[in-house]
Amino acid sequence: MEKGYQVIARRWRPKQFSELVGQDHIVRTLSNAIESKRIAHAYLFVGPRGTGKTSTARLFAKALNAEGGPSATPDNESETSQAIMNGSCMDVIEIDGASNNSVEQVRSLREECQFAPAQCTYKIYIIDEVHMLSTAAFNALLKTLEEPPEHVKFFFATTEAHKVLPTIVSRCQRFEFRPISDDVIVGKLTEICESEEIQVEPAALASIARLANGGMRDAQSILDQMISFCGSDIKESDVLDVYGLVSDERIAQLAQALASLDYAAIIAAVDEFAVEGRDLFRILIDLEAHARGALLDAIQNGGNTTKLGGEMSTESIMRMLDALHRGEASVQKGLSEKVNFEVVLLKAAEESRSRAIDSLIKQVAAAGGGAGDAGEKKKP
């Protein structure tokens, strides 16, 4: 029987720590822990979705149960390694915290912990989305988590660490998974496309990385969808059309319209975006990123930048950014997305040119002081 298609995110899931990209600090720490035999009994993996938390848990379980003892570079071809990576190993139990969150289920898990592993060195429990466990379930787990049997290890993964009880966190070694940079994502996608014999424009990969918001799995899923849409030749325009994005050039033109108070150009640009079916909220986020780049440029160049067209000060750009940021909720959740988007852009343009009251007072005071000094000099 022919095997069904396996998505890129699964086919390219890391099989060794060396293949885990964007989390070098975690790879180094876990590898050193294995080599020095300083293995804790519980680990908490925290970070945004798609950054490698569950993959790291599987790799760690595979490393601890390597043939001949724990190894940071286990044999991929061994029966145990393959069973762990495909989820069929009896001693590596993956649990979804969202659907197994009752106190009865945790008590059952606690009783199972007492039994020795059937085929591996360690019995490992990987609980994904652990923050979904109820308070009673957490409390039922506390004692076992503090003093588990020697053959048991717990790996917890969560996107919302603040919802995990402090008493659970204090019993774990905590690892923070960072959002993966766009450059790293583009590098990995390039490697995948070369292996899959897919022709893709660098600008298209940059747009995919921007869409992924630091998540490698999201980026790979987007690439998979683009391959389905375009075949073996992916262009930037295809990605922009499918996901409702606009090019960097059009974002720059919109930013220049805001900086120059060209209200007609702003309204015309919004009309074009709406007719083309673009994602207005995503355009707002990209516009903020562009303005932030101009702000950094102004800071590096002594307080002014020309990246927004005319020369603008850091104070003006910060007021523009603040207005754009305040408008996110109204664009994303408002009843009329287009109207709200227009209003946010017009307010941002207007506020970028307004003077802060404290700086105006200082200027008036300085001017008044100078006039006073001049008047005193005229007195005989």
Side-chain angles (χ1 to χ4, degrees):
M1 180 178 176
E2 187 179 349
K3 289 185 177 180
Y5 175 72
Q6 195 174 45
V7 297
I8 286 176
R10 291 190 62 189
R11 275 188 287 128
W12 284 84
R13 174 170 273 177
K15 295 181 176 61
Q16 293 284 346
F17 281 130
S18 59
E19 299 175 13
L20 187 68
V21 297
Q23 310 297 345
D24 295 342
H25 60 298
I26 292 175
V27 169
R28 180 179 177 181
T29 306
L30 294 181
S31 298
N32 288 342
I34 293 169
E35 291 173 2
S36 61
K37 299 181 180 180
R38 300 178 65 89
I39 311 298
H41 58 269
Y43 293 83
L44 178 63
F45 297 148
V46 177
R49 71 178 190 273
T51 52
K53 299 184 297 297
T54 306
S55 293
T56 300
R58 285 187 180 180
L59 291 175
F60 200 16
K62 174 180 168 181
L64 293 182
N65 288 319
E67 293 181 359
S71 170
T73 55
D75 179 13
N76 288 336
E77 302 304 319
S78 72
E79 185 179 346
T80 301
S81 292
Q82 291 187 358
I84 291 173
M85 295 309 290
N86 63 32
S88 62
C89 181
M90 295 174 59
D91 295 322
V92 178
I93 301 99
E94 294 191 32
I95 300 171
D96 176 22
S99 56
N100 296 274
N101 56 7
S102 69
V103 64
E104 291 80 9
Q105 289 164 321
V106 172
R107 284 173 180 163
S108 175
L109 179 152
R110 189 175 61 184
E111 293 171 0
E112 292 174 3
C113 285
Q114 306 305 318
F115 299 105
Q119 61 185 118
C120 297
T121 307
Y122 295 100
K123 179 176 283 189
I124 295 173
Y125 291 90
I126 301 173
I127 303 182
D128 198 13
E129 300 301 335
V130 69
H131 65 272
M132 297 294 287
L133 294 183
S134 65
T135 301
F138 273 130
N139 290 331
L141 190 59
L142 277 177
K143 187 63 177 177
T144 302
L145 191 59
E146 186 170 24
E147 297 178 358
E150 290 186 3
H151 60 265
V152 173
K153 305 293 180 187
F154 288 98
F155 301 155
F156 302 134
T158 179
T159 54
E160 301 182 54
H162 61 281
K163 293 184 179 180
V164 182
L165 288 186
T167 47
I168 294 290
V169 177
S170 66
R171 289 165 168 82
C172 301
Q173 284 193 10
R174 175 169 172 160
F175 288 82
E176 298 284 346
F177 283 72
R178 303 165 183 163
I180 302 170
S181 70
D182 287 358
D183 290 341
V184 173
I185 290 176
V186 168
K188 187 64 177 180
L189 295 184
T190 301
E191 178 188 348
I192 293 172
C193 289
E194 289 175 353
S195 176
E196 304 270 337
E197 298 183 352
I198 302 297
Q199 300 296 322
V200 58
E201 292 180 350
L205 293 181
S207 296
I208 291 174
R210 190 170 37 143
L211 269 170
N213 290 323
M216 182 63 75
R217 185 180 64 231
D218 286 4
Q220 292 172 345
S221 297
I222 294 169
L223 177 61
D224 223 341
Q225 182 174 352
M226 292 311 305
I227 293 172
S228 298
F229 178 77
C230 304
S232 59
D233 188 9
I234 302 174
K235 301 186 182 301
E236 181 191 19
S237 58
D238 296 322
V239 180
L240 300 181
D241 289 340
V242 169
Y243 286 94
L245 303 179
V246 298
S247 65
D248 291 338
E249 290 77 13
R250 295 179 73 181
I251 292 293
Q253 291 171 4
L254 180 60
Q256 289 176 9
L258 264 68
S260 59
L261 299 183
D262 190 344
Y263 298 133
I266 294 172
I267 298 299
V270 174
D271 286 340
E272 288 180 10
F273 297 151
V275 169
E276 294 171 8
R278 304 297 179 181
D279 185 342
L280 299 184
F281 179 73
R282 184 70 220 191
I283 294 173
L284 178 61
I285 299 301
D286 290 343
L287 183 61
E288 288 181 36
H290 184 85
R292 177 182 176 273
L295 176 62
L296 297 179
D297 183 67
I299 293 172
Q300 293 172 355
N301 292 305
N304 290 283
T305 183
T306 57
K307 279 198 169 184
L308 293 177
E311 190 170 289
M312 289 189 72
S313 66
T314 54
E315 184 182 359
S316 295
I317 301 172
M318 283 191 285
R319 284 197 296 271
M320 178 189 290
L321 269 171
D322 183 54
L324 294 173
H325 180 68
R326 290 200 312 270
E328 287 181 11
S330 64
V331 174
Q332 187 175 32
K333 301 177 182 177
L335 293 178
S336 178
E337 185 182 35
K338 179 185 174 183
V339 172
N340 291 339
F341 185 53
E342 286 177 339
V343 171
V344 168
L345 296 185
L346 295 174
K347 280 185 177 180
E350 191 66 36
E351 291 185 25
S352 70
R353 292 304 185 184
S354 63
R355 294 294 302 273
I357 188 65
D358 53 350
S359 64
L360 192 59
I361 291 173
K362 287 179 183 178
Q363 186 177 2
V364 172
D373 292 341
E376 289 178 3
K377 288 180 181 178
K378 289 181 180 179
K379 290 182 180 179

